[in-house]
């Protein structure tokens, strides 16, 4: 699904109304495909570094007749947490991060973005609603507007970090659909993952190799350091700021 008629216009350079149209299309596809399929995966691979062969900014939507591995893991852990503590895990996690603010990148009335404490990629982030929401199609109009705003703010910061169109893979996770629509999925909380590969510059990327693949991931900076770097960046895109004069 292409985001915009212009092939060089990425999400952080689009207007809020244009991003809102993308969100509405996501929700419509999630509801349409989710009527039949247990899992609808909406994701974006941005940039050649993340294997994107089509330069026109776009996302993909895959629907499957089963729960993929990551979905099954999140299903199990969120259900276990709700059974033990009585509240959705990611709803409580968002409240704790909002209070601590150490790993908070951006926030508004309905959403917050954090560098999660378990992040493995250097500038990995997690986008969370403040309200208990199961699926994209459950978002209110006002929440879709504020989602467009916080996505744009985050993606501008990403681009401003190394003054480059920042590559990443992102995707939405929400409660399973299809036959699961009739089940109690209250343990789920809608969220989006952003996995950017860049580490120290526009050309130096983090590789998950050696020890990372054979033992466990190693961080090159702490989640708090990553959040502080992102948080301190301007929210005006570097391409749209007035040129400095000497």
């Amino acid at each position: 699904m292409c985001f915009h008629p212009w092939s060089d216009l990425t999400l952080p350079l689009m207007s809020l109304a244009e991003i809102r149209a993308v969100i509405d299309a996501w929700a419509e596809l999630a509801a349409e495909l989710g009527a039949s399929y247990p899992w609808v995966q909406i994701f974006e691979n941005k940039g050649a570094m993340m294997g994107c062969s089509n330069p026109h900014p776009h996302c993909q939507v895959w629907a499957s007749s089963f729960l993929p591995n990551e979905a099954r893991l999140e299903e199990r852990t969120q259900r276990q947490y709700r059974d033990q503590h009585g509240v959705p895990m990611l709803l409580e996690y968002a409240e704790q991060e909002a209070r601590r603010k150490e790993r908070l990148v951006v926030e508004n009335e309905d959403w917050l973005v954090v560098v999660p404490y378990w992040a493995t990629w250097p500038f990995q982030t997690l986008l969370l609603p403040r309200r208990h929401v199961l699926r994209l199609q459950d978002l209110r109009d006002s929440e879709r507007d504020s989602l467009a705003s916080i996505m744009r703010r985050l993606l501008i910061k990403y681009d401003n970090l190394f003054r480059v169109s920042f590559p990443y893979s992102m995707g939405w996770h929400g409660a399973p659909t299809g036959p699961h629509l009739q089940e109690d999925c209250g343990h789920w909380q809608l969220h989006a993952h952003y996995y950017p590969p860049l580490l120290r510059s526009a050309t130096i990327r983090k590789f998950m190799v050696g020890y990372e693949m054979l033992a466990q991931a190693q961080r090159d900076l702490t989640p708090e350091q990553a959040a502080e770097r992102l948080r301190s960046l301007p929210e005006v895109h570097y391409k749209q700021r007035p040129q400095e004069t000497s």
Side-chain angles (χ1 to χ4, degrees):
M1 183 186 91
C2 290
F3 292 150
H4 196 278
W6 297 356
S7 61
D8 61 344
L9 207 62
T10 56
L11 284 170
L13 293 170
M14 288 165 53
S15 70
L16 292 179
E18 290 166 339
I19 300 174
R20 167 64 195 265
V22 171
I23 293 167
D24 287 340
W26 283 344
E28 183 178 346
L29 284 168
E32 178 184 346
L33 294 170
S36 304
Y37 291 94
W39 190 254
V40 180
Q41 183 60 67
I42 298 169
F43 64 98
E44 177 191 3
N45 294 327
K46 181 179 179 230
M49 194 176 285
M50 297 309 291
C52 183
S53 57
N54 183 351
H56 197 136
H58 66 283
C59 72
Q60 298 182 49
V61 184
W62 292 20
S64 60
S65 58
F66 60 93
L67 292 187
N69 291 343
E70 292 296 318
R72 284 192 288 111
L73 177 61
E74 290 197 2
E75 162 67 25
R76 184 174 72 249
T77 55
Q78 289 182 99
R79 183 180 291 277
Q80 288 174 346
Y81 190 92
R82 200 272 305 265
D83 289 348
Q84 292 173 7
H85 301 279
V87 293
M89 177 175 63
L90 289 179
L91 182 63
E92 187 169 53
Y93 177 65
E95 292 171 352
Q96 291 182 10
E97 290 284 21
R99 285 195 301 269
R100 294 171 64 94
K101 297 190 181 302
E102 294 174 333
R103 292 180 284 265
L104 187 68
V105 178
V106 287
E107 63 179 330
N108 61 27
E109 183 178 351
D110 300 311
W111 301 86
L112 67 157
V113 176
V114 301
V115 177
Y117 69 84
W118 62 84
T120 54
W121 297 97
F123 295 100
Q124 177 179 332
T125 55
L126 182 67
L127 171 58
L128 291 160
R130 296 183 186 271
R131 181 176 70 89
H132 187 201
V133 182
L134 299 186
R135 303 175 179 94
L136 266 171
Q137 54 267 43
D138 299 332
L139 292 174
R140 302 165 179 161
D141 278 349
S142 59
E143 291 169 332
R144 296 183 186 197
D145 286 339
S146 57
L147 174 57
S149 174
I150 203 164
M151 282 176 54
R152 189 171 186 269
R153 292 170 63 194
L154 170 65
L155 297 180
I156 285 174
K157 286 179 179 292
Y158 271 157
D159 280 11
N160 284 344
L161 181 60
F162 299 126
R163 297 177 68 88
V164 66
S165 185
F166 206 73
Y168 58 76
S169 283
M170 71 82 65
W172 284 99
H173 283 172
T177 49
H180 302 280
L181 291 170
Q182 309 306 318
E183 300 174 359
D184 174 16
C185 292
H187 51 289
W188 271 88
Q189 174 74 331
L190 176 70
H191 58 282
H193 298 279
Y194 284 84
Y195 299 128
L198 293 182
L199 176 57
R200 297 187 185 91
S201 73
T203 56
I204 299 177
R205 63 169 295 166
K206 166 77 174 182
F207 286 98
M208 292 290 185
V209 294
Y211 192 85
E212 280 87 356
M213 289 195 297
L214 296 166
Q216 69 178 41
Q218 299 294 293
R219 286 200 57 90
D220 299 88
L221 67 169
T222 68
E224 293 78 12
Q225 290 171 331
E228 172 57 29
R229 286 195 63 183
L230 291 173
R231 189 167 54 240
S232 65
L233 291 165
E235 294 189 9
V236 177
H237 199 280
Y238 72 92
K239 289 185 175 180
Q240 297 175 328
R241 292 204 295 269
Q243 295 296 316
E244 297 179 359
T245 56
S246 55

